[in-house]
Amino acid sequence: MTTTETTTSTGRVFDAEALRRGIEERDAATLLGLYAQDAELHVVDRNDQPSHPKIVRGRAAIGEYFADVCGRDMTHRLERLVVNAGNAAFIQACSYPSGASVRCIAVLDLEDGLITRQSGVQAWDE
C-alpha cells in the first residue's frame, strides 16, 4: 500500500492521488468518481452561513457543482492531505488570474473507498 492509498474496512481503497489530480487539474469527472451515489457536500462560506450551509446531495448534483468550480479560470493546489481508513482532510488553495485567492479546508467521510460526506469551509479575498 502506498502513502496515497488507504484501505477501508471493506477492502476498497480511497484513491487519494485521484483526489489530488482532480483538484489540481480541475478535472470534475475524476473528482466525481470519488463520491458515493448518495454522497453529500456541505459548504460553509460568506454566502452560506454555519446555521444554513449549502448542502449538495447526490452524485448528479455534486457533478454539477464540480463542473462549475472546475470550469472557472483559476488554479487549484492541494496543500495538505491526510487520509485514514474512514476519513480524510485537506487544505486547498486557489488563485484567480487577478491575484484573488480562495482557501478551502475540508473533511471527508469515507466508506468502501468512496466519499459519503464532505464538509468544508471556504473563504476568499473580497
Side-chain angles (χ1 to χ4, degrees):
M1 182 167 31
T2 68
T3 59
T4 60
E5 297 177 343
T6 299
T7 303
T8 63
S9 60
T10 60
R12 224 170 137 193
V13 173
F14 176 68
D15 191 346
E17 190 53 40
L19 179 69
R20 178 180 302 282
R21 195 172 54 255
I23 287 172
E24 294 185 349
E25 295 176 8
R26 296 174 22 210
D27 185 341
T30 295
L31 289 172
L32 188 58
L34 298 171
Y35 287 79
Q37 286 295 332
D38 60 348
E40 290 188 352
L41 175 66
H42 296 234
V43 180
V44 172
D45 59 24
R46 178 177 165 255
N47 297 325
D48 300 290
Q49 300 291 303
S51 59
H52 295 93
K54 176 186 294 193
I55 301 175
V56 183
R57 289 185 172 93
R59 276 185 92 206
I62 291 170
E64 292 172 14
Y65 177 85
F66 282 134
D68 174 49
V69 171
C70 292
R72 297 178 189 177
D73 184 18
M74 60 191 308
T75 61
H76 300 261
R77 188 176 73 252
L78 195 62
E79 290 188 337
R80 189 163 189 194
L81 174 62
V82 178
V83 181
N84 67 32
N87 303 95
F90 64 86
I91 300 172
Q92 180 177 347
C94 307
S95 298
Y96 284 96
S98 67
S101 295
V102 181
R103 177 86 63 189
C104 174
I105 298 174
V107 176
L108 311 175
D109 293 340
L110 306 174
E111 186 176 310
D112 195 25
L114 296 173
I115 300 166
T116 58
R117 181 178 171 136
Q118 176 174 332
S119 299
V121 177
Q122 60 185 12
W124 55 86
D125 293 337
E126 300 277 339

